[in-house]
Amino acid sequence: MTAATHSSSFPADADSADAVLLGLDPEQREVATTLRGPVCVLAGAGTGKTRAITHRIAYGVRSGQLMPASVLAVTFTNRAAGEMRGRLRALGAGGVQARTFHSAALRQLQYFWPKAIGGDVPRLLERKIQFVAEAGARCRIRLDRGELRDVTGEIEWAKVTQTVPADYPAAALKAGREAPRDMAEIAQIYGTYEQLKRDRGMIDFEDVLLLTVGILQDRHDIAEQIRGQYQHFVVDEYQDVSPLQQRLLDLWLGERDSLCVVGDASQTIYSFTGATPDHLLNFRTRHPRATVVKLVRDYRSTPQVVHLANGVLSQAKGRAAEHRLELVSQRESGPDPVYAEYADEPAEAEGVARRIRDLIAAGVPAGEIAVLFRINAQSEVYEQALADAGVPYQLRGAERFFERQEVQKAILALRGAARSGGNDPLLEDIVDLGSQVRAVLSSTGWTTEPPAGSGAVRDQWESVAALLRLAEDFARTRPGATLADLTVELDERRAAQHAPTVQGVTLASLHAAKGLEWDAVFLAGLTDGMIPITYAKTDEQVEEERRLLYVGVTRARLHLTLSWALSRTPGGRASRRPSRFLNGLRPGSAAPAAGPGSAGERGAPRRGRRGPVRCRVCSRTLTEAGELKLMRCEDCPSDMDEGLYERLRDWRADRSKEQGLPAYCVFTDKTLMAIAEAAPAEAGELSMISGVGGRKLDRYGADVLAICAGQAPGGADPDDA
């Protein structure tokens, strides 16, 4: 069993090409050693895709098959690009370019603009929302704050789908866009916005891609110069590529096929920005000779978390669902996911805060805990609850770590102390690096004790504390390192945007959590109308909401809690229901019925749980997942048929061996115990047992019912036919 990918901040350098391959599983190794022709890597959540592609690049460089300067690795966020640069640097491939699409295009635009257009490159508009507001005013269209944000999003979508203002209404209608205003009004604002930019000599981020595409299409000499520079491309998160980004990639490639793409259609959650998994799903059609590698070994999450993640997608529909990957956990067993129902939202937030405080008391670092929700407006109640509980937290989406004023001030002080060497009286008689850093930071006004309460002051303290922890980590991995060595490391990290983790519970939207992971994750507010969100009307939109929940589940390494509230405010009407995506997964619920759009449940009448679940023996309210699965307290007497349980275990061992899967992937021990206690006589009764989703009912139901009836299992697995 391979350990979870919880790597050190400072990985040891690989000293040879073969050493780069050490520690890779067979599929990752295939990715790393397949350096020629088109390669498509279908990588499930937590399967080590970044490890596979960075080791692929490093292996190519260290073996002499790839020149570092000829490789361009492209991803979607500065954080991901920074992490990739850091890993490549540690593996001895520091000369490789790892950038976002926008960063790579901007660099090329700045270099070639004088030759292609002449003069200076137009200034980059950092915040387009102000120009959109002015454009609306010029069109005599008043936009409130929410409409302003949404209209800006529509303009961004139009540009990445290469839709001009005049064509926006027809294109938006065809795409099923939920426009925040009349589409003709948005088209008018869009046109005025573009004119404003031209008048003031400015471009926005989408223009960077559009202008680069335009230059490469019109100037073949420039296109060939870029193709001469970059001969090998790697694209991460390929399911999120927009039509405009794909067009740029095609122009970079030309007629060549030295391309490796990595993605997972089940993690497509940004279609509202123009992202589409079609490029990933059609890769084999466009490149018939492509090598396709599937990564399904999940090193991040426990079997219990992976089982739930697979269950979330088991009822998925549509083209992306047809290509979903069944993950197989490589970690030791862990606690079952916890399902928690609350009377109202404040009670839910307080309950989550209590559980978080208990986890921290049990040794889980606050920085390894996250609370994730569907929309940012849900954060306030959790901010208040965590502050009341004395738990530090951070909101995801703040400015970059190394750009924060307090961090820059601290680094400046460290650099000054390093420059003075042994002449600084502040550091007299202080030998170890960690203590030196602590002394320098204290001289800037930072204290070892955090300030009371929350807000900006606490955020600033946490940032400097994170800088201190980074220095201590560096000192442990580099014995004998000096302050000067540390400042060099910090400069490299700033250039790579490789920031340390601030030690506070993360509060973030599900969208903002993509690409991140924590030891403990709380998925809060999981009600119908929130996930799926109310405005998800079409089948495609609902399926994207399901994928969003899947992304949330797969952020957890060990502890996972899913919660919902029956009303918004205390004393309110308990009219809410848990998310339909949890049907058949949460205790006390049954799987959805087969057939598109059905809201019923497979093989059983509809049954919804509106109140607490009680033990069927002693009537105590059940809260733990294992107890909810059995519908009784762990220490209450069991009426399980021991002989039936053993027959089910023997059958499970045979099936898991036939399919090459761990036994828990067939059914967990708790599910077998629940079956043995209930001894179901027909499919409807079996489907009501937690852990028996629709897919498993189809696959194993006939066998299980035969065993419960005292007969030999004889039904063939549909997948084996």
Side-chain angles (χ1 to χ4, degrees), residues 577-596:
R577 294 185 301 167
S579 170
R580 71 191 75 166
F581 299 147
L582 299 180
N583 289 345
L585 303 174
R586 64 182 176 86
S589 69

Side-chain angles (χ1 to χ4, degrees), residues 58-79:
Y59 177 73
V61 170
R62 300 301 288 268
S63 65
Q65 298 180 65
L66 299 176
M67 295 296 293
S70 72
V71 181
L72 178 59
V74 187
T75 188
F76 280 80
T77 66
N78 288 317
R79 186 198 62 80

